[in-house]
Amino acid sequence: DFRYTLTQESSKDHDKGRIPSILKESFPDLSNFDVYISGNKEFVENCTQAAILLGATTQSIYTENE
């Protein structure tokens, strides 16, 4: 399930906000998902921690640094 998310501008067609903050609203349980994260180091770290808190395993999280 892929979703565009805007961090600064609003749109009725897209989610808005920082991914680590709004992830739970769209995906409350990531235990059966593969999670792909790309971006700067701080963003990747924050998203990784958010995904783990929602049930993703480190084996199911893929970043552009791997």
Side-chain angles (χ1 to χ4, degrees), residues 1-42:
D1 192 4
F2 181 85
R3 296 182 189 190
Y4 286 101
T5 303
L6 305 174
T7 58
Q8 296 179 2
E9 53 197 54
S10 296
S11 169
K12 65 179 179 159
D13 298 322
H14 299 94
D15 294 335
K16 180 182 185 224
R18 297 285 184 190
I19 302 295
S21 300
I22 66 169
L23 188 60
K24 186 175 184 175
E25 296 171 24
S26 298
F27 300 97
D29 181 5
L30 290 174
S31 60
N32 293 314
F33 285 85
D34 286 332
V35 180
Y36 295 84
I37 306 167
S38 64
N40 68 48
K41 183 179 177 181
E42 182 180 357

